[in-house]
Amino acid sequence: MKTLIYTISAAAIVLCGACQNDIDADFSDMSGVLSINAFLYTEHDTNFVYVSETALNNPQPVNNATVEMRVNGTLVETVDKVTPTIKRKVYRYGENPAETKNTPAHNGAYRLTTRFSEGDVVRIDVYSNGRHAWAEETAPRKIQNPKADFKLANHPTNQYIELTEITFADFTINLPDISPENDYYRISAFADYGYRQTVWADYGYYYASENTDSICEALRQKGMEVVPVEFTDDDGNEEVVVYCLYKNEDNYWSSAVGINYEYGNDPILSEGEMTKSLTEDGDTDILISDIKNKHKVFTDHFFNNSAAEIQISVGQPFGNVFYPETLYVGGGLERLSDEYLKMSGHTYNMKIRLSLESISENQFYYLKALNVVESENYEDMAMLSGAMKIPSNVNGGSGNICITTNTVLEFTVFDNYDCPRIIDHNSLVYY
Amino acid sequence: MYLKKTLFAALCGLICCANVLAQNKITISGYITDRKSAETIIGATVYDSETQHGTATNVFGFYSITLNAGKHNLTYSYVGCQPQTVSFDAKRDTVINVELSANVELEEVTVTAKSRESGIESTKMGSIDVPVKLIEHTPSLLGETDVLRTIQLTPGVQQGVGGASTLYVRGGNGDENLVLLDGAPVYKIDHLFGFFSVFTPEAVKKVTFYKTSFPARYNGRTSSVIDVRTKDGDMNDYHGSASIGLLTSRINLEGPIVKGKTSFSLSGRTTYISALTKPFMKDYKIGYWFYDVNLKLNHKFSDNDRLYFALYNGLDKMKGEETIPDYSTHYIETEWNWDDRFEPKSAPVADYYCSKLRWSNFIPSLRWNHVFSQKLFANTTISFNHYKMLVSSVDETEWHYEDLGAQTYSSQRYDSEIKDYGAIVDFDYLPSPEHTVKFGANYTWHDFVPETTNSKFKNTDEEEQADTTTYHNGKAVKASEVSVYADDDWQIGPQLNVGIGLSYTLFALKEKEYHSIQPRLSVKYSPLSYLSFKAAYSRMSQCVHLLTSSPIALPTDLWVPITNEIEPETADQYSVGVYSTVLPGWEFSVEAYYKEFNNVLEYKDGMSFMGFSGSWTDLVAAGQGWSKGIELMVQKTEGDLTGMLSYTLSKSDRQFSRSSGVNDGRRFPFSYDRRHNFNIVANYRLNDHIDIDASWTFYSGARATLTNAKQDIVYPADPAISSDYSIHYNEYCDRYSGYSDDYFEVRTDNPFYTSTVEYVPERNNYLLPCTHLLCVGANFHKQKKRCERIFNLSLYNAYNAMNPSLVFFDNYDDNGYHLEKPRLRKVTILPIIPSFTLTYKF
């Protein structure tokens, strides 16, 4: 609705006015400003600072900077070279997990290897071509003894097929507030999961009216499943066609994949705003505002100095990959019998890791600003109200140095679990 | 509690002392009314030529003057009326009710009257009486004469987006103006997204605008007070007017119910925009409608008692409707394929969407005027103020796929509501000619429900099984507001006047109470009859704020009270000024001011109110503001050519702490920090049949936040919300369809994901081009048998100045091709607009 109002306002202005003219964009030069950004984690051996500079069109990474790190006023590390390589993990099919190899570094990325702890004051100074930018933040305190539990539940969705349901892991998180002061939090979810799917794929078909049994046997010896189908042709002759299927097994394994979970009507994550369903598509899902808490940040306003009970629903990463509806049988068969549908197997493992993060105040406002910038009607709003200044805690430049202290809780959701067949296969159509 | 007792004791003491001093004197009091209509006159002056003492009628037309017993010549006068002198030899207190006749020869338009409330005679500074004549003769947008637009032409007032009726007074925000309709505050003061105000000129009797020396009875806003009083109704004859304009029509009727005792005044206005725009609407239909109704009943029980009932009701309504009857064919024939296997397989065959937006003010009030004695006048008011805003939508969709069918229905409703229950008692106590004491108390029970949401979702499947879900959400904030005040306009000598006022306000929330003491002081020194020097100090506080993110007045802007975290905003203002009437028929004034705001609110960087106000206190920061300026004003009040010329030189900026998250703690200019403002209003009476009005306005550029640079930002380690999400997804798809490389999942051991956004170094960093606007109008009068016909022709933005209402960067050229370097464009909302209004007065 709010979108509608903004759209109408913006459209009315443009249409009613219908008088637009170019004017001089007489700006002072805003390019070449040092921009430093980082998400630093307490108790991590490796953190990265990304250094770039502003530009009229394409901001450029800065590879000749010197980055200094101070912890509680003491210079602990100086880095003057861009990180040469970054260790990456590579996952192959059927391997669990796979190899590790070095890949080229991200331009402008400077690696810091000094650990720091909660409560430490961390200062980052960046020098480049006579420019100096710095930021100082205090590492947030850790959340003490958070708890969480989950149960699997089906939720209605209109994301893929109308009037159906998909399975979510519904978590209830008990998150104690850190202090009576203002504290800021974020919850992110990651998944490690493996997946095996056995698919019966169409190989072809043979007319086998006379020697059906021998053809079937020969095909079976080649590792195929066969389906003899009897029918009567136009001349009234009884014929048999043997449809051949081959078995194809796929293995899929992935780790630490971020999951964009849903928070439904949870008052803390939605700040009291009401949403319709657990899906993110469709204009009608969000009642009033199109600004979603995409970055899942929140304050302790609703549970100051006590504990919050937060409800989130974690769905499958990357959409509906576990969905048996994705069974593909190729062309040729108009419809498989239930018997052959049962032959396709789905087995998978899934672990979900919840990262319960205590974040700095500037990180809260920075990510909250990104919620606005990434909202649907931001452009309309910017036209009416002007460009939005992104919050920054950097002195002498732009950007944000954010510090996170997190606690990770791990849950096994599925362990060699047969995929529940949620959909009624009779309602599916195969080509 | 201690403070209340102290204030009460001080008031009692003041009254007792004054009584003792007045033992050998007599008091003349009464009402001053218009001879023709018996309507009470506000601000009429009473002057004793012997003692050179004077007074003025209050907002109910009552006056009281205490003199030595003996012979006196009292002169009663009011602008546009023939003065009347009453000679008498008074030995005891006397009631003299005076009827003034309109002076046909002096129908000129003037901005101020020589009253005790404004102008050279007044102790107050920065107050302007805005006569209805001036409002009617100010050229306006689409012929809609408007109280607020006239005020915009006075010095120190900025208008915001061109054409809008929002006021930005002396560096203050748009929500810092207290707008009172017969004493009751009005929350939503405009129609049609801010382009028309809610005040129907025909219903208005008197408008007083205060921006410096606020009388102590006013509090609750920090920048200005606009006190609008409506007509009581003619006690003797029936008459009225009817107007037809380009967008609206208005009607006004007034007359006696019981002659000489009871009268009524009824006025209304409505629009027919929808009817005009309907032919241009095709698939999506938008209807818009608003109306205003003002009703006032007035009964005179005796010279000592009067009862008034006033009602204002205004409504805006917008409806959008869209029906898509059948596009099933297109969808159903679409072949299913592997690439879009995740797309919906069902298709809507009929879709109906309807949204409604409405907001309304409902303000009834009951007043009782009682003259306790010739020196003590009381007005008691009880009022109810109901502001309501509603947004609702209904979406009905019917789905079909082959044999399957279903219907979905969703309705959503979003309300915002304020209910104020108020009781006010005001006393005017005039113990001697040297003192005009006003005191009283005010209690308001605020019932804020900033947002209530209700929604209903219903799915009906192919087996007619309905699944209905409803949600409700809403939180009320209740608050009590108590004010007590006392104000004395003290004439120390023939040349020196001092105005002393004190107001105490308690704003009590459930968990916290805020107390504020607001002193007001003004001094006038008049060494010559035509010259006055004035100085003033005032403190104002404000306990409610309007949440808005747009320069355009959207009905979804929400009024919210202060909270436990957000303290009341205060403003301290210091002013000095010189006033002169050295040339007959001319008035000159120069005022300089310096204003400090505390706890002024701004959105933090990156924050915006676009919808839910759930944690609005997280979005804003409280800081400081400064505003200073010099205002010059010249008025010609007599002759065929009358008018006003004003110039304002001003500067206004804001600063917040580094930790507040606003502009990195650096000082920045206020959005409407326009350095120069020049206005001319001229009204020329060509003859008895034709008068011509013109106004020309010049503003130097306002401020906007714009940038042409970009910066890199990083996202936290969460691929699901980063740009890399698509890479994972696509690789997965490739793998699944058998075309992947040998691996598809790559993750760094401490990843970050970059993106590019606009780089804005500072707020309000861009100075917009200046604005200038000429509006002209002509009134053609013709006396008919039973009525007078007035035909008004007006031209808004007469020379079609392309003023910048908004500016934005456009990435595309006129042909739709992407530009390498975006161009900066300005939007002119209101180009040249001719209009007409036909009015019959009967």
Side-chain angles (χ1 to χ4, degrees):
Chain A
M1 182 54 62
K2 194 81 178 182
T3 308
L4 172 73
I5 294 165
Y6 270 93
T7 307
I8 289 173
S9 306
I13 287 164
V14 174
L15 292 174
C16 292
C19 299
Q20 295 185 13
N21 295 287
D22 290 355
I23 54 175
D24 290 336
D26 185 19
F27 289 101
S28 56
D29 188 8
M30 290 184 267
S31 59
V33 175
L34 215 49
S35 185
I36 57 176
N37 288 281
F39 280 90
L40 309 177
Y41 289 81
T42 55
E43 309 297 351
H44 272 218
D45 292 332
T46 302
N47 282 301
F48 286 91
V49 174
Y50 177 64
V51 183
S52 60
E53 60 183 20
T54 61
L56 288 183
N57 288 315
N58 299 311
Q60 294 299 313
V62 173
N63 292 326
N64 62 350
T66 301
V67 178
E68 292 179 353
M69 180 184 188
R70 287 175 174 79
V71 177
N72 298 325
T74 306
L75 179 63
V76 293
E77 191 171 357
T78 302
V79 181
D80 59 3
K81 286 179 183 168
V82 180
T83 308
T85 58
I86 295 176
K87 191 169 63 176
R88 292 173 187 266
K89 291 177 182 174
V90 179
Y91 303 95
R92 293 177 185 280
Y93 303 120
E95 297 173 9
N96 185 14
E99 64 187 75
T100 298
K101 70 178 183 181
N102 292 328
T103 57
H106 198 305
N107 277 336
Y110 296 81
R111 181 164 55 191
L112 301 170
T113 54
T114 304
R115 287 172 76 101
F116 57 89
S117 305
E118 57 177 315
D120 285 346
V121 179
V122 179
R123 174 173 164 139
I124 303 293
D125 287 81
V126 176
Y127 302 87
S128 172
N129 294 338
R131 296 167 295 183
H132 175 210
W134 63 273
E136 187 174 271
E137 276 294 314
T138 302
R141 290 164 59 190
K142 192 167 186 168
I143 303 166
Q144 298 297 321
N145 300 318
K147 295 184 179 69
D149 201 359
F150 79 97
K151 60 179 181 182
L152 291 176
N154 291 345
H155 293 296
T157 179
N158 60 357
Q159 193 167 5
Y160 305 112
I161 298 176
E162 284 296 319
L163 309 173
T164 189
E165 295 178 321
I166 58 175
T167 305
F168 282 81
D170 287 351
F171 281 89
T172 301
I173 302 164
N174 184 280
L175 192 146
D177 190 24
I178 291 173
S179 72
E181 311 302 321
N182 286 341
D183 296 301
Y184 303 90
Y185 301 99
R186 178 169 182 264
I187 298 175
S188 53
F190 297 86
D192 301 336
Y193 59 95
Y195 169 56
R196 169 175 290 183
Q197 178 179 263
T198 306
V199 176
W200 297 96
D202 175 32
Y203 183 74
Y205 58 91
Y206 298 89
Y207 284 97
S209 303
E210 295 176 357
N211 49 353
T212 305
D213 292 342
S214 60
I215 289 176
C216 287
E217 185 55 33
L219 290 170
R220 284 193 187 101
Q221 285 179 6
K222 289 183 178 179
M224 294 186 187
E225 284 292 324
V226 293
V227 184
V229 178
E230 294 180 1
F231 68 99
T232 305
D233 65 11
D234 295 341
D235 300 329
N237 301 320
E238 289 189 353
E239 299 282 358
V240 177
V241 172
V242 177
Y243 289 95
C244 306
L245 301 167
Y246 69 89
K247 188 166 78 172
N248 183 21
E249 286 190 339
D250 280 346
N251 295 297
Y252 176 83
W253 201 95
S254 187
S255 178
V257 176
I259 304 176
N260 194 11
Y261 62 84
E262 306 299 337
Y263 52 80
N265 290 316
D266 182 80
I268 293 169
L269 276 160
S270 66
E271 294 181 336
E273 186 172 9
M274 191 163 54
T275 59
K276 172 191 166 188
S277 70
L278 294 167
T279 66
E280 281 206 347
D281 73 324
D283 290 338
T284 56
D285 280 347
I286 301 298
L287 188 61
I288 299 301
S289 167
D290 80 324
I291 302 177
K292 301 165 189 173
N293 191 1
K294 197 173 175 182
H295 293 275
K296 311 298 193 308
V297 290
F298 55 96
T299 66
D300 59 0
H301 281 324
F302 289 90
F303 59 101
N304 191 19
N305 212 22
S306 62
E309 191 160 282
I310 298 170
Q311 310 278 345
I312 64 170
S313 296
V314 181
Q316 298 94 333
F318 307 153
N320 208 19
V321 294
F322 305 139
Y323 212 35
E325 172 267 333
T326 55
L327 179 68
Y328 175 60
V329 292
L333 284 180
E334 290 182 352
R335 194 174 189 87
L336 287 174
S337 66
D338 288 345
E339 181 185 351
Y340 283 91
L341 282 171
K342 286 173 188 169
M343 291 170 67
S344 62
H346 302 80
T347 305
Y348 53 108
N349 308 319
M350 184 172 183
K351 286 180 182 174
I352 291 176
R353 285 186 282 135
L354 295 181
S355 174
L356 308 178
E357 300 170 356
S358 169
I359 61 175
S360 50
E361 182 180 357
N362 85 295
Q363 182 176 355
F364 171 78
Y365 283 106
Y366 168 59
L367 294 177
K368 208 167 168 59
L370 294 188
N371 284 340
V372 176
V373 171
E374 294 166 7
S375 64
E376 284 175 14
N377 56 13
Y378 170 69
E379 285 190 8
D380 290 340
M381 193 205 75
M383 184 177 171
L384 289 171
S385 308
M388 181 171 278
K389 186 178 186 309
I390 301 291
S392 169
N393 64 346
V394 174
N395 298 281
S398 72
N400 276 282
I401 299 295
C402 305
I403 302 184
T404 302
T405 304
N406 66 341
T407 303
V408 177
L409 304 179
E410 188 173 299
F411 304 87
T412 300
V413 181
F414 304 122
D415 188 8
N416 290 323
Y417 182 80
D418 284 334
C419 178
R421 290 180 185 278
I422 297 162
I423 198 163
D424 174 13
H425 287 275
N426 290 324
S427 67
L428 293 177
V429 176
Y430 302 94
Y431 293 87
Chain B
M1 186 55 78
Y2 174 75
L3 186 66
K4 287 180 194 172
K5 284 182 180 172
T6 308
L7 279 171
F8 185 72
L11 282 172
C12 292
L14 187 64
I15 292 167
C16 292
C17 292
N19 270 324
V20 169
L21 290 170
Q23 288 298 317
N24 296 318
K25 299 192 173 186
I26 52 115
T27 300
I28 311 297
S29 66
Y31 285 91
I32 300 178
T33 55
D34 183 273
R35 183 182 297 279
K36 193 178 171 191
S37 66
E39 179 101 24
T40 55
I41 298 176
I42 303 170
T45 55
V46 182
Y47 184 71
D48 180 29
S49 54
E50 288 184 13
T51 60
Q52 296 188 343
H53 286 311
T55 188
T57 54
N58 65 13
V59 291
F60 299 98
F62 178 79
Y63 77 95
S64 172
I65 184 167
T66 300
L67 304 165
N68 292 323
K71 289 185 178 177
H72 292 282
N73 295 316
L74 284 185
T75 302
Y76 298 83
S77 60
Y78 186 67
V79 173
C81 293
Q82 286 179 328
Q84 196 177 125
T85 302
V86 177
S87 301
F88 56 89
D89 185 0
K91 293 186 173 56
R92 58 179 181 275
D93 292 351
T94 308
V95 174
I96 302 177
N97 292 327
V98 175
E99 294 176 338
L100 295 179
S101 301
N103 188 343
V104 181
E105 300 299 318
L106 293 172
E107 270 202 348
E108 72 275 7
V109 174
T110 55
V111 177
T112 63
K114 292 178 183 177
S115 72
R116 298 289 291 263
E117 290 291 315
S118 66
I120 188 170
E121 297 291 328
S122 169
T123 313
K124 303 273 186 273
M125 285 188 70
S127 55
I128 298 172
D129 282 346
V130 187
V132 176
K133 284 280 180 195
L134 178 69
I135 297 166
E136 290 174 348
H137 283 80
T138 303
S140 56
L141 175 65
L142 293 164
E144 293 293 320
T145 50
D146 198 315
V147 172
L148 300 182
R149 274 180 211 291
T150 307
I151 292 173
Q152 284 173 346
L153 295 169
T154 61
V157 184
Q158 314 266 2
Q159 68 166 241
V161 170
S165 52
T166 314
L167 304 178
Y168 296 88
V169 181
R170 288 188 168 175
N173 252 324
D175 64 348
E176 294 171 2
N177 309 305
L178 177 64
V179 181
L180 297 167
L181 184 63
D182 285 327
V186 184
Y187 285 100
K188 186 72 181 170
I189 59 167
D190 47 55
H191 293 297
L192 196 64
F193 303 104
F195 291 101
F196 298 121
S197 82
V198 297
F199 304 109
T200 315
E202 285 80 1
V204 172
K205 177 179 175 180
K206 181 80 182 290
V207 179
T208 311
F209 173 57
Y210 302 91
K211 59 184 175 185
T212 308
S213 301
F214 302 100
R217 65 180 180 274
Y218 298 126
N219 53 59
R221 302 290 190 280
T222 53
S223 284
S224 79
V225 176
I226 300 159
D227 190 355
V228 179
R229 299 283 164 173
T230 57
K231 285 179 183 171
D232 299 332
D234 195 325
M235 285 274 194
N236 297 324
D237 294 309
Y238 295 99
H239 59 88
S241 65
S243 300
I244 299 173
L246 206 57
L247 291 184
T248 68
S249 283
R250 304 189 294 263
I251 190 163
N252 171 244
L253 294 169
E254 58 180 301
I257 297 173
V258 177
K259 205 163 187 177
K261 284 280 185 186
T262 311
S263 67
F264 76 95
S265 173
L266 176 67
S267 59
R269 171 172 65 170
T270 188
T271 184
Y272 26 79
I273 296 174
S274 292
L276 297 174
T277 56
K278 200 173 181 179
F280 305 102
M281 301 286 175
K282 287 183 179 175
D283 294 334
Y284 196 84
K285 293 175 183 171
I286 298 178
Y288 187 89
W289 183 58
F290 73 76
Y291 74 79
D292 294 297
V293 174
N294 283 280
L295 171 68
K296 198 162 185 184
L297 301 174
N298 163 29
H299 181 69
K300 183 181 171 186
F301 291 100
S302 66
D303 280 347
N304 290 340
D305 290 287
R306 286 182 182 224
L307 193 67
Y308 299 87
F309 172 75
L311 171 71
Y312 168 74
N313 188 18
L315 171 77
D316 282 64
K317 197 173 174 181
M318 191 173 88
K319 185 179 179 183
E321 209 172 9
E322 186 179 28
T323 304
I324 302 171
D326 186 358
Y327 51 86
S328 55
T329 310
H330 168 74
Y331 274 79
I332 284 178
E333 287 184 355
T334 302
E335 287 188 3
W336 183 86
N337 57 60
W338 178 254
D339 292 335
D340 58 15
R341 62 199 181 283
F342 294 130
E343 293 301 309
K345 294 184 177 65
S346 52
V349 294
D351 199 350
Y352 170 75
Y353 181 74
C354 176
S355 63
K356 290 178 186 170
L357 175 62
R358 56 185 287 171
W359 62 99
S360 61
N361 285 304
F362 178 69
I363 310 172
S365 60
L366 194 66
R367 287 175 188 78
W368 171 46
N369 286 178
H370 180 66
V371 181
F372 280 100
S373 73
Q374 292 197 311
K375 294 176 181 174
L376 186 63
F377 174 91
N379 172 57
T380 308
T381 306
I382 53 171
S383 65
F384 173 60
N385 186 349
H386 189 194
Y387 167 67
K388 194 170 184 181
M389 185 271 289
L390 161 71
V391 182
S392 68
S393 70
V394 171
D395 194 349
E396 291 180 71
T397 308
E398 189 175 338
W399 296 83
H400 277 294
Y401 182 74
E402 292 197 340
D403 296 335
L404 304 177
Q407 294 86 41
T408 60
Y409 168 87
S410 68
S411 69
Q412 301 170 2
R413 186 186 162 107
Y414 173 78
D415 295 83
S416 178
E417 198 171 17
I418 302 171
K419 288 179 187 168
D420 283 355
Y421 303 85
I424 307 167
V425 58
D426 297 313
F427 293 95
D428 287 11
Y429 180 61
L430 300 108
S432 69
E434 291 82 19
H435 291 277
T436 303
V437 179
K438 297 185 177 190
F439 60 95
N442 181 348
Y443 174 80
T444 307
W445 171 255
H446 297 284
D447 190 352
F448 290 92
V449 188
E451 287 170 304
T452 308
T453 51
N454 286 284
S455 56
K456 184 178 178 182
F457 305 99
K458 185 178 175 184
N459 288 331
T460 308
D461 62 17
E462 64 273 18
E463 295 173 357
E464 300 294 323
Q465 297 293 313
D467 174 21
T468 304
T469 312
T470 57
Y471 295 102
H472 173 81
N473 195 5
K475 189 182 175 187
V477 181
K478 298 181 193 306
S480 291
E481 188 172 8
V482 181
S483 299
V484 289
Y485 72 89
D487 202 352
D488 184 16
D489 192 344
W490 181 16
Q491 186 173 354
I492 295 175
Q495 296 176 331
L496 186 64
N497 285 56
V498 176
I500 307 168
L502 190 66
S503 174
Y504 161 77
T505 302
L506 164 69
F507 195 89
L509 293 159
K510 190 179 177 184
E511 294 169 347
K512 196 164 183 177
E513 292 180 352
Y514 291 102
H515 305 263
S516 75
I517 294 175
Q518 301 158 53
R520 319 275 163 80
L521 177 68
S522 51
V523 180
K524 184 192 81 169
Y525 175 64
S526 304
L528 300 166
S529 62
Y530 54 81
L531 183 67
S532 291
F533 296 95
K534 297 184 190 180
Y537 163 75
S538 64
R539 163 170 275 222
M540 296 287 274
S541 76
Q542 178 162 346
C543 296
V544 293
H545 294 284
L546 184 67
L547 296 183
T548 178
S549 284
S550 163
I552 291 175
L554 292 175
T556 47
D557 299 343
L558 296 183
W559 283 100
V560 290
I562 53 172
T563 65
N564 295 342
E565 297 87 26
I566 304 288
E567 295 189 355
E569 179 185 336
T570 59
D572 294 279
Q573 188 172 184
Y574 308 84
S575 334
V576 290
V578 183
Y579 299 76
S580 175
T581 53
V582 64
L583 296 175
W586 291 77
E587 291 185 16
F588 302 88
S589 68
V590 181
E591 286 189 14
Y593 67 90
Y594 175 74
K595 200 170 168 184
E596 271 186 20
F597 300 91
N598 287 298
N599 291 323
V600 64
L601 298 187
E602 283 277 344
Y603 285 99
K604 295 183 177 184
D605 291 347
M607 298 301 108
S608 166
F609 169 68
M610 286 173 65
F612 211 68
S613 68
S615 297
W616 69 272
T617 53
D618 286 340
L619 308 181
V620 299
Q624 283 187 291
W626 297 270
S627 181
K628 56 188 175 186
I630 297 172
E631 298 167 357
L632 311 176
M633 190 168 174
V634 178
Q635 300 159 69
K636 186 172 184 303
T637 58
E638 293 177 12
D640 287 333
L641 176 66
T642 57
M644 175 179 72
L645 184 150
S646 69
Y647 169 73
T648 306
L649 173 68
S650 62
K651 186 174 191 305
S652 179
D653 44 23
R654 303 278 191 266
Q655 188 169 26
F656 295 71
S657 67
R658 180 71 172 91
S659 60
S660 67
V662 177
N663 204 46
D664 304 330
R666 294 192 298 269
R667 201 160 164 155
F668 62 96
F670 178 56
S671 300
Y672 297 100
D673 176 31
R674 290 172 164 137
R675 194 69 68 243
H676 307 282
N677 174 208
F678 188 78
N679 295 310
I680 300 177
V681 184
N683 314 104
Y684 182 62
R685 191 176 172 191
L686 203 61
N687 54 43
D688 287 346
H689 302 291
I690 302 172
D691 53 72
I692 298 167
D693 312 314
S695 67
W696 186 72
T697 299
F698 172 85
Y699 289 111
S700 55
R703 293 281 177 165
T705 305
L706 287 171
T707 182
N708 61 356
K710 291 187 170 54
Q711 65 175 338
D712 274 343
I713 58 165
V714 298
Y715 289 102
D718 189 343
I721 54 171
S722 74
S723 56
D724 279 25
Y725 172 72
S726 59
I727 295 172
H728 289 282
Y729 183 82
N730 290 336
E731 286 184 349
Y732 167 73
C733 291
D734 287 347
R735 166 67 194 101
Y736 203 86
S737 55
Y739 297 104
S740 70
D741 296 329
D742 61 343
Y743 67 91
F744 67 98
E745 167 63 14
V746 176
R747 177 180 169 268
T748 60
D749 54 356
N750 191 355
F752 55 81
Y753 304 94
T754 63
S755 184
T756 300
V757 298
E758 291 170 327
Y759 169 60
V760 179
E762 276 198 89
R763 285 194 184 197
N764 295 335
N765 58 336
Y766 188 77
L767 184 65
L768 293 168
C770 59
T771 297
H772 46 95
L773 184 75
L774 175 68
C775 301
V776 292
N779 294 305
F780 302 91
H781 302 258
K782 187 165 186 179
Q783 190 62 46
K784 299 279 199 177
K785 264 187 181 177
R786 293 183 179 175
C787 62
E788 182 191 7
R789 187 190 70 194
I790 304 167
F791 184 67
N792 170 273
L793 275 177
S794 62
L795 208 53
Y796 182 88
N797 195 359
Y799 55 84
N800 198 26
M802 291 289 109
N803 293 313
S805 304
L806 296 168
V807 293
F808 67 100
F809 273 106
D810 192 352
N811 291 310
Y812 298 91
D813 66 10
D814 292 335
N815 299 318
Y817 294 110
H818 193 272
L819 293 167
E820 199 166 300
K821 186 183 174 188
R823 56 181 177 162
L824 187 59
R825 292 178 68 74
K826 65 175 177 181
V827 178
T828 304
I829 295 178
L830 299 169
I832 183 169
I833 301 176
S835 62
F836 72 92
T837 308
L838 184 61
T839 303
Y840 286 92
K841 285 186 176 177
F842 49 87

